[in-house]
Amino acid sequence: MNTLRMMLLACATILPVVTASHAADQILAGAITARSGQKLEGVTVSAKREGSTITTSVYTDTAGAYVFPPLPAGKYRVWAQALGFETGKGAVELSAARRHDFTLQEMTDPERRFRQLPGEMMVAALPEASVDDARMKKIFMNNCTGCHSSSYALQFRFDEAGWSRIIDLMKVVPVTGVYPGPNAKSNQIMERHQKQLAAYLARARGPGESSMKIAARPRPAGESARVVWTLYDVPLNPDAGIGTRYNANDGTDWAQGTTSKLGQLPHDGALGLDGTIYFTSNNPNRGVTIGKVDPATGAVKYLKADAVNGLAATAHGLVRDRAGNLWFDVNPGRRALGKLDTATEKIAIYQTPEGMAPLGGAVTLDIDGKGMVWASTPSGAVRFDPVTEKFTEFKSNIPEKNARGLGATYGAAGDRDGNGWWSQMAMDTVYKGDIATGKAIEIKIPDVKVDRIFGEDRAFYETVSDLGFNAPLPWSQGPRRMGTDKNADLLWVCNSFGSSFARINTKTLETTIIPLPDPTMQAYHIAVDSKHNVWGNLWTSDRIVRLDPAASAWTVFDLPVRGTEIRHIALLERGDKLSVVVPVYRTSQMGVLTLRSEAELAALKARAR
């Protein structure tokens, strides 16, 4: 039975994986040096068993040594990567503890070196010394990454006419990434700046000498080099018509650059209480609403709710409740709230009453401290009581459709007191749904300070009437997805265009802007752990960040793949162990990060001797 036929079944579908029994798990270790003999710290080392869909990645320490967690016996491809070096490739038969060393050779081709770079390093290299260059760099960051990572565009070279033709297309393509046809209205901001932007990009990524200045950055070290990343391949959507089951460029060979996202399935992700990985699928398809990945085998199972158009009902947001069940938005015809009972794999659908807004916008969900489900709607947010199965609606003060553009909701969250929160991304506004009064309290996020480069353009920007999720004003913060500290009175908001987090006291509404470690970082979503640490994903970077608010200390964790375009982040805490799950959106993978202590690493190294 072929895959497409299997996906047409109304029941869940299991994709085949390797199920052969294996000998006891073994330790793979080694060391990485440059040809000069220098020991290389922070090198990414990955291993994938023959026939498996699971890739495990670790990093070298200060001595250039690496050690994997115990891996099932079998034949493995092993490779090592660092910026500026050719990929080291090898193969091992892991039937006992093995050692595999690499000597990495420096890359000589400057274009291949450039294609290796993650998106934020490319953007950082764009010139900004003059006022004109700084203006175009800001326009690029705000308006040219709406439906793709910055690295996808910048990995190519075009002359000014070529870049102008690309802008001709992109100024009419909405946030969905779908071309609306020849009669589509042009984005007003892109229309105004098209000529200058095309010339700017041609100087940076055109046929002549580049104006870009690439600055080296340190490789992962300390705690960032002690993590383990486990990546699970998710089959491509067969209805996309690509003809391959998995992405040929899955991001694991950096020199191939950033891949196309055609056929990708995962959008948001969560870990079940037993460590099972779940994801929503927001792209039209015939077989999957919720995907389920076995963390031990990589087996992918599809769970489907029917839509009125004959396809699977799509889903976007995802959150786990205290009992381990999953809540998500689902679109069977009118966008609704869905619940997956993880024990029975049954999906229940709850529609808001007629006269109340359906779920909508870029739907985000959260469970508040009282166990209520909060979800975004186009005009605000709703709270759902799982016991009484009743909805309560809260509306934004600024209408969804208004004179400035799109006022639809993006992020949503619930605090520990049972209040709800949501953001109007294009309007730079956050709201509190006060459960005691039933009213929406408005909080304006302060502007990004860009008067030096946009002061003369203020009059034009005051007339712009098509602001949206990815068509902001130059001084927009862009409050996107958010998360609350369930053990404190704090809401954390990702400011996608302001390269910052907003910290809002949920009682006093005091708002503080906290810049991200690098101004090229664009935040997307936040999850807060039980120790008050704030975890955030960066959708134009191949990194995630963690902020320790008490120490005002940032930790940055690199991913082992390129072009990740992560849009969601979620946590699972079991005892003193924490796992972070992210949908590796563009490469159609699910990624799980776990942290290793120095003692754990020492014990593994001892076993590897």
Side-chain angles (χ1 to χ4, degrees):
M1 184 181 292
N2 62 39
T3 304
L4 179 57
R5 183 179 173 191
M6 292 169 71
M7 291 182 67
L8 293 173
L9 297 176
C11 60
T13 303
I14 302 179
L15 298 174
V17 296
V18 175
T19 56
S21 60
H22 299 281
D25 291 348
Q26 303 295 340
I27 302 296
L28 174 62
I32 314 262
T33 57
R35 293 190 70 182
S36 64
Q38 176 190 4
K39 298 173 182 178
L40 297 178
E41 180 183 11
V43 175
T44 305
V45 190
S46 304
K48 191 171 191 177
R49 183 164 49 86
E50 189 176 279
S52 174
T53 57
I54 303 173
T55 302
T56 306
S57 298
V58 297
Y59 299 87
T60 55
D61 62 16
T62 53
Y66 72 87
V67 60
F68 280 88
L71 298 171
K75 295 180 180 179
Y76 281 81
R77 287 192 301 113
V78 188
W79 62 99
Q81 297 184 98
L83 292 178
F85 290 88
E86 299 284 356
T87 302
K89 299 179 181 180
V92 298
E93 175 72 49
L94 197 58
S95 56
R98 285 291 305 273
R99 181 177 181 85
H100 192 88
D101 298 337
F102 289 94
T103 300
L104 299 188
Q105 180 177 347
E106 289 195 32
M107 267 187 183
T108 57
D109 184 339
E111 199 61 24
R112 293 184 72 242
R113 288 172 67 100
F114 186 85
R115 288 174 70 87
Q116 269 195 324
L117 298 177
E120 79 279 1
M121 286 188 71
M122 292 183 181
V123 173
L126 288 170
E128 58 181 329
S130 71
V131 169
D132 287 342
D133 281 357
R135 183 185 301 119
M136 289 304 101
K137 183 169 182 174
K138 185 64 174 174
I139 291 294
F140 177 83
M141 287 184 63
N142 280 17
N143 295 276
C144 294
T145 55
C147 55
H148 52 69
S149 171
S150 51
S151 59
Y152 187 71
L154 290 175
Q155 68 185 337
F156 303 109
R157 283 181 177 267
F158 300 99
D159 61 15
E160 185 173 341
W163 280 112
S164 188
R165 290 188 181 97
I166 291 170
I167 297 169
D168 279 336
L169 175 64
M170 298 313 299
K171 70 185 179 183
V172 299
V173 174
V175 65
T176 60
V178 178
Y179 176 59
N183 297 321
K185 185 180 178 181
S186 295
N187 173 274
Q188 296 165 24
I189 295 174
M190 293 293 285
E191 185 80 23
R192 178 179 177 87
H193 295 291
Q194 178 168 350
K195 183 175 178 58
Q196 300 99 309
L197 182 60
Y200 174 78
L201 291 173
R203 283 190 284 113
R205 291 295 290 160
E209 183 180 353
S210 175
S211 60
M212 300 177 79
K213 304 298 181 185
I214 299 167
R217 77 175 184 203
R219 291 189 290 269
E223 186 180 19
S224 297
R226 296 202 306 269
V227 304
V228 176
W229 277 103
T230 309
L231 290 178
Y232 300 84
D233 296 338
V234 175
L236 297 176
N237 178 3
D239 299 315
I242 298 173
T244 59
R245 191 173 180 198
Y246 295 99
N247 201 327
N249 177 8
D250 63 1
T252 56
D253 184 348
W254 302 350
Q256 290 188 28
T258 299
T259 188
S260 166
K261 68 179 180 182
L262 285 174
Q264 64 81 216
L265 282 177
H267 195 281
D268 281 13
L271 289 168
L273 295 178
D274 62 353
T276 299
I277 304 154
Y278 295 89
F279 62 86
T280 57
S281 181
N282 193 40
N283 283 343
N285 71 90
R286 302 187 189 188
V288 54
T289 301
I290 299 291
K292 178 179 179 180
V293 185
D294 184 315
T297 67
V300 179
K301 186 174 184 177
Y302 291 157
L303 307 176
K304 176 186 174 184
D306 291 320
V308 294
N309 60 5
L311 301 178
T314 55
H316 184 279
L318 187 66
V319 68
R320 184 188 66 244
D321 67 20
R322 296 173 187 171
N325 298 310
L326 299 176
W327 296 85
F328 51 96
D329 66 286
V330 60
N331 191 3
R334 182 178 187 264
R335 212 157 170 185
L337 180 65
K339 176 188 176 183
L340 173 66
D341 185 317
T342 52
T344 65
E345 297 186 347
K346 300 296 183 184
I347 292 176
I349 296 177
Y350 305 92
Q351 286 281 3
T352 58
E354 291 296 328
M356 184 181 292
L359 270 64
V363 178
T364 308
L365 297 97
D366 194 22
I367 309 296
D368 69 25
K370 307 298 182 183
M372 305 297 177
V373 184
W374 286 87
S376 49
T377 73
S379 56
V382 291
R383 185 189 72 157
F384 180 74
D385 186 331
V387 176
T388 65
E389 299 185 357
K390 300 294 185 184
F391 286 92
T392 305
E393 183 176 23
F394 291 82
K395 288 194 173 185
S396 304
N397 297 337
I398 304 171
E400 176 193 0
K401 296 179 180 179
N402 61 79
R404 296 312 309 274
L406 180 67
T409 301
Y410 211 106
D415 65 29
R416 65 175 176 176
D417 295 325
N419 302 300
W421 299 81
W422 66 95
S423 65
Q424 282 184 307
M425 185 176 177
M427 303 293 114
D428 268 3
T429 303
V430 170
Y431 293 90
K432 175 182 180 179
D434 191 302
I435 201 65
T437 64
K439 295 181 179 180
I441 302 171
E442 182 178 327
I443 303 162
K444 181 70 169 64
I445 304 297
D447 290 348
V448 177
K449 300 197 181 306
V450 292
D451 285 345
R452 180 181 74 89
I453 55 177
F454 285 98
E456 295 180 359
D457 294 316
R458 282 272 176 175
F460 160 74
Y461 279 102
E462 293 302 328
T463 70
V464 171
S465 58
D466 60 355
L467 300 177
F469 293 158
N470 294 99
L473 296 170
W475 45 87
S476 291
Q477 291 281 4
R480 205 163 203 150
R481 288 181 142 184
M482 53 183 64
T484 56
D485 188 336
K486 298 301 191 296
N487 297 297
D489 297 321
L490 290 174
L491 169 76
W492 294 88
V493 184
C494 282
N495 293 322
S496 207
F497 303 120
S499 300
S500 64
F501 287 169
R503 183 183 64 203
I504 301 176
N505 186 296
T506 56
K507 293 190 181 298
T508 67
L509 309 186
E510 179 186 4
T511 301
T512 306
I513 301 298
I514 300 174
L516 288 165
D518 189 292
T520 63
M521 292 177 169
Q522 293 180 273
Y524 209 101
H525 188 217
I526 278 175
V528 185
D529 67 29
S530 62
K531 297 179 181 178
H532 310 293
N533 294 307
V534 183
W535 295 81
N537 62 290
L538 307 168
W539 76 306
T540 57
S541 305
D542 299 323
R543 312 174 101 182
I544 63 174
V545 295
R546 185 190 65 199
L547 170 65
D548 177 350
S552 297
W554 292 93
T555 306
V556 180
F557 300 95
D558 286 15
L559 273 91
V561 292
R562 284 292 168 263
T564 51
E565 205 168 307
I566 300 167
R567 297 162 185 249
H568 189 256
I569 190 166
L571 311 175
L572 175 64
E573 295 183 78
R574 292 179 288 188
D576 60 349
K577 294 295 183 182
L578 180 140
S579 299
V580 183
V581 63
V582 292
V584 190
Y585 180 81
R586 182 171 282 270
T587 56
S588 202
Q589 297 160 322
M590 295 300 296
V592 179
L593 174 149
T594 52
L595 298 167
R596 300 189 288 186
S597 67
E598 292 181 351
E600 288 171 323
L601 270 178
L604 286 171
K605 290 176 181 177
R607 285 183 58 183
R609 293 194 186 104

